[in-house]
Amino acid sequence: MKFFVDTADVSAISELNGLGMVDGVTTNPSLILKAGRDIREVTREICALVDGPVSAEVVATDSASMIQEGRSLAEIADNIAVKVPMTWDGLKACRTLADDGCMVNVTLCFSANQALLAAKAGASFISPFIGRLDDINLDGLDLIGDIRLVYDNYGFETEILAASIRSVNHIAECARIGADVATAPPGVIRKLVDHPLTDRGMESFLADWAKTGQNIVP
Ligand code: E4P
């Protein structure tokens, strides 16, 4: 499973990228606001840093303006994936931008039917939002499983980009189900390494090692 980082914070991306943990990046208007940066400037920096797809989202609501915005974003770098919303206008923009040769990420997906539409519109990625479904007492992970089944039934190549990830458990479950990509905030990715038995094991190994009085490097 690929890891995308869900942020427009360049230093957080850079830190994880140095560890080889970044297969791509996703941003959205709220993340651009949080970063407090100009969208074109920060997106260009991220694209230069990361080899994989970098999602940048359109904000128009009619297809013609979405296409115009999408083409403008795609000019920033070759690894831009234009993010469009799951609406009929978004799907129309998806078809046109995909025909242009752009990667398109269809966002705000909350049902398997919507995922089916995105695949038929030529999306490179579909972004089902797990956490926001959990927030309204539905099971976001069930949706990931449903889309995996539907896409495998028909051989759709659109990648399932599990989004709105809030916990390390979401990531483990996405990997079990077979999501192609999980996009998560840097803090959640950093927490993946944590386990109390690892900490306890380290403590006892280091305590015993100190008692040997030895040095590994002579
Ligand atoms: C990613 O593409 C989404 O924009 C993001 O994961 C949304 O996450 P949120 O529901 O925590 O805002």
Side-chain angles (χ1 to χ4, degrees), residues 6 26 28 83 129 132 163-164 166 183:
D6 198 25
T26 49
N28 63 36
K83 221 176 183 190
F129 277 33
R132 292 191 194 191
S164 188
R166 308 270 169 81
T183 190

Side-chain angles (χ1 to χ4, degrees), residues 4-9 13 25-40 42-43 46 54-59 69 73 80-85 105-108 110 127-129 132 161-166 183-186:
F4 286 6
V5 193
D6 198 25
T7 187
D9 178 340
I13 295 167
V25 172
T26 49
T27 66
N28 63 36
S30 305
L31 292 171
I32 296 293
L33 174 70
K34 195 172 167 193
R37 302 274 313 273
D38 172 78
I39 184 170
R40 299 187 70 86
V42 75
T43 304
I46 296 169
V54 174
S55 288
E57 188 161 341
V58 302
V59 291
E69 289 182 353
L73 289 169
I80 286 283
V82 177
K83 221 176 183 190
V84 301
N105 175 359
V106 178
T107 191
L108 291 168
F110 295 97
S127 289
F129 277 33
R132 292 191 194 191
L161 198 175
S164 188
I165 282 180
R166 308 270 169 81
T183 190

Side-chain angles (χ1 to χ4, degrees), residues 1-4 23 124-126 128 144 147-148 151-152 156-163 171 173-183:
M1 186 173 71
K2 286 177 259 189
F3 281 177
F4 286 6
D23 300 306
S124 298
F125 301 100
I126 181 69
I144 304 297
I147 299 172
R148 180 75 283 157
Y151 278 10
D152 289 350
F156 285 119
E157 289 179 3
T158 301
E159 293 189 51
I160 301 172
L161 198 175
I171 295 189
E173 289 301 323
C174 283
R176 275 192 201 102
I177 293 165
D180 299 288
V181 190
T183 190

Side-chain angles (χ1 to χ4, degrees), residues 173-202:
E173 289 301 323
C174 283
R176 275 192 201 102
I177 293 165
D180 299 288
V181 190
T183 190
V188 174
I189 295 178
R190 281 192 214 104
K191 274 194 198 136
L192 289 173
V193 78
D194 293 347
H195 199 288
L197 290 181
T198 304
D199 296 341
R200 207 186 301 168
M202 282 285 290

Side-chain angles (χ1 to χ4, degrees), residues 14-179:
S14 179
E15 183 197 329
L16 288 167
N17 198 38
L19 295 166
M21 296 298 160
V22 181
D23 300 306
V25 172
T26 49
T27 66
N28 63 36
S30 305
L31 292 171
I32 296 293
L33 174 70
K34 195 172 167 193
R37 302 274 313 273
D38 172 78
I39 184 170
R40 299 187 70 86
E41 186 187 276
V42 75
T43 304
R44 190 173 295 112
E45 264 178 52
I46 296 169
C47 287
L49 198 62
V50 171
D51 290 333
V54 174
S55 288
E57 188 161 341
V58 302
V59 291
T61 53
D62 66 282
S63 62
S65 307
M66 282 183 200
I67 292 163
Q68 192 183 22
E69 289 182 353
R71 286 179 174 152
S72 175
L73 289 169
E75 277 171 9
I76 293 175
D78 289 343
N79 53 337
I80 286 283
V82 177
K83 221 176 183 190
V84 301
M86 173 55 76
T87 59
W88 284 118
D89 280 277
L91 291 168
K92 196 170 170 189
C94 176
R95 179 80 271 163
T96 302
L97 292 165
D99 288 346
D100 279 358
C102 290
M103 289 185 282
V104 182
N105 175 359
V106 178
T107 191
L108 291 168
C109 170
F110 295 97
S111 76
N113 282 337
Q114 291 180 326
L116 198 47
L117 292 176
K120 292 175 82 66
S124 298
F125 301 100
I126 181 69
S127 289
F129 277 33
I130 298 174
R132 292 191 194 191
L133 281 168
D134 291 355
D135 288 346
I136 59 162
N137 287 330
L138 294 172
D139 190 336
L141 289 166
D142 279 353
L143 175 60
I144 304 297
D146 286 348
I147 299 172
R148 180 75 283 157
L149 180 68
V150 169
Y151 278 10
D152 289 350
N153 279 348
Y154 299 100
F156 285 119
E157 289 179 3
T158 301
E159 293 189 51
I160 301 172
L161 198 175
S164 188
I165 282 180
R166 308 270 169 81
S167 68
V168 292
N169 187 47
H170 278 159
I171 295 189
E173 289 301 323
C174 283
R176 275 192 201 102
I177 293 165

